[in-house]
Amino acid sequence: MTDLRTHMHGLWLPLVTPFRNSRLDETSLRRLTRHYCTQAIDGFILGATSGEGMTLRDAELERLVAVVRDEMAAGRRTLPIGLGLSGADTSRMKERLDETADWPVDFYLIASPYYVRPSQRGILAHFEALADHAAWPLALYNIPYRCAVGITNQTLLRLAEHPNIIGLKDCGASREQSIALLRDRPKGFRVLTGEDANYFEALSDGADGGILLSAHIETATFAAVHAELKLGNADAAEARWQEVAELTRLLFTEPSPAPAKYWLWRSGLIDSPEVRLPMVEVSSELAAQLDREIERRMKVAA
């Protein structure tokens, strides 16, 4: 197992899950893995929001992990894998932890219980029960606009003391809360932003990195933003950020990950832009806009 308290920083890719004819597209998945293993990323997140994890059957999720790990083993670089798991039933989540305990992953990324809107005491008890039970470490996922209830800093700081909880994907949508958490967190508790459009801002505030769908595109530029800031080159980092800032908005014009999948399909990295209902492929209007931006960036690169 990777020492995530040392390695959970930098740029992490929440890998899209390619589909074709309603099935997991293993050919495209292997192509994606090979490609991004040559890029400046620090790890993969599989089966989470960007990977349409809520639509994956257990067998598909297991196969997704196996294919990515197998493709890395066949190459020259091995990256840590975080597995996205979420649910509103603590007991069932413990069962899922048991079912995935021997999978070749390094940690779980687990969002707050959705829909049921538990109290902070309930959220605390939920995550403590999972962390006590899990074979692999946990990273918390605070995303109140999807789960209906956010995790307060008071709760996060208590959870951060648990030996099996290593960090947070921060989509709390409050810069003030994020800054306070970064100030008060215990040593070794990692905070990575999951808000693509706020990547530069979060890194400037002291976040350890980002888990960014947008980094499927212009991966090297997103990595350079982090690298320049680590070197203290704030102006250079901001200049690199301006190269991709608009991209982070464009890729979320319609529900994610459809725009990113369309871009990857047009770029030849996946064989189909297919998403699973209730997600739908991008509109013709957005497709035209994405095509123009792809063409523009290709001309700049040339």
Side-chain angles (χ1 to χ4, degrees), residues 80 82 143 164 247:
I143 184 163
N164 207 33
L247 182 64

Side-chain angles (χ1 to χ4, degrees), residues 200 204 224-240:
F200 177 75
S204 299
V225 174
H226 179 261
E228 293 288 3
L229 278 173
K230 280 193 68 176
L231 293 171
N233 301 329
D235 290 343
E238 186 169 13
R240 299 309 303 271

Side-chain angles (χ1 to χ4, degrees), residues 42-58:
D42 295 282
F44 287 115
I45 305 294
L46 302 181
T49 310
S50 301
E52 299 174 80
M54 298 290 284
T55 72
L56 294 173
R57 305 298 181 265
D58 289 348

Side-chain angles (χ1 to χ4, degrees), residues 238 246 271:
E238 186 169 13
E246 183 57 35
D271 291 336

Side-chain angles (χ1 to χ4, degrees), residues 14-302:
L15 194 69
V16 301
T17 302
F19 301 118
R20 194 167 190 184
N21 299 322
S22 302
R23 299 173 65 87
L24 179 66
D25 180 358
E26 294 191 13
T27 299
S28 292
L29 180 60
R30 290 184 182 277
R31 188 184 305 120
L32 284 174
T33 305
R34 289 195 300 271
H35 173 76
Y36 289 111
C37 279
T38 69
Q39 303 296 303
I41 64 169
D42 295 282
F44 287 115
I45 305 294
L46 302 181
T49 310
S50 301
E52 299 174 80
M54 298 290 284
T55 72
L56 294 173
R57 305 298 181 265
D58 289 348
E60 291 177 317
L61 187 60
E62 184 174 14
R63 187 60 185 160
L64 173 68
V65 172
V67 169
V68 171
R69 185 61 80 187
D70 179 67
E71 196 61 40
M72 285 195 289
R76 297 183 177 180
R77 188 182 183 201
T78 298
L79 293 167
I81 291 175
L83 177 65
L85 290 180
S86 294
D89 177 350
T90 307
S91 178
R92 174 58 186 139
M93 283 294 293
K94 290 169 71 174
E95 292 175 358
R96 296 202 74 195
L97 294 176
D98 290 339
E99 291 160 2
T100 58
D102 61 351
W103 292 12
V105 301
D106 296 277
F107 68 102
Y108 299 106
L109 177 66
I110 302 182
S112 299
Y114 48 80
Y115 185 75
V116 296
R117 302 183 67 184
S119 67
Q120 291 300 306
R121 288 193 300 117
I123 291 173
L124 179 66
H126 172 77
F127 279 117
E128 285 181 336
L130 298 184
D132 288 344
H133 193 79
W136 306 112
L138 269 60
L140 310 174
Y141 186 4
N142 188 26
I143 184 163
Y145 54 83
R146 289 187 183 272
C147 295
V149 173
I151 313 175
T152 66
N153 278 4
Q154 182 180 11
T155 302
L156 285 169
L157 291 172
R158 287 190 61 181
L159 290 169
E161 298 291 345
H162 195 290
N164 207 33
I165 295 178
I166 58 173
L168 169 73
K169 179 180 179 181
D170 184 8
C171 293
S174 167
R175 188 178 186 185
E176 181 180 6
Q177 179 184 359
S178 298
I179 290 173
L181 178 66
L182 290 167
R183 180 192 65 221
D184 298 335
R185 61 179 168 160
K187 183 178 180 181
F189 184 74
R190 301 295 187 177
V191 177
L192 283 75
T193 184
E195 292 293 327
D196 295 38
N198 298 336
Y199 179 52
F200 177 75
E201 176 183 275
L203 293 179
S204 299
D205 291 338
D208 297 296
I211 301 173
L212 307 178
L213 168 83
S214 303
H216 281 85
I217 320 300
E218 303 285 356
T219 313
T221 304
F222 282 97
V225 174
H226 179 261
E228 293 288 3
L229 278 173
K230 280 193 68 176
L231 293 171
N233 301 329
D235 290 343
E238 186 169 13
R240 299 309 303 271
W241 169 241
Q242 291 306 320
E243 296 175 22
V244 292
E246 183 57 35
L247 182 64
T248 65
R249 290 182 281 273
L250 180 61
L251 291 175
F252 288 88
T253 303
E254 293 181 6
S256 177
K261 279 189 157 183
Y262 180 86
W263 191 303
L264 294 171
W265 170 62
R266 290 282 283 108
S267 303
L269 278 172
I270 58 178
D271 291 336
S272 169
E274 184 177 329
V275 290
R276 283 183 170 171
L277 287 171
M279 293 297 177
V280 293
E281 294 180 18
V282 297
S283 64
S284 57
E285 293 81 7
L286 181 56
Q289 190 177 356
L290 290 167
D291 286 340
R292 289 193 295 270
E293 183 61 16
I294 292 168
E295 184 177 349
R296 186 189 71 80
R297 288 180 179 270
M298 288 178 61
K299 288 180 179 178
V300 171

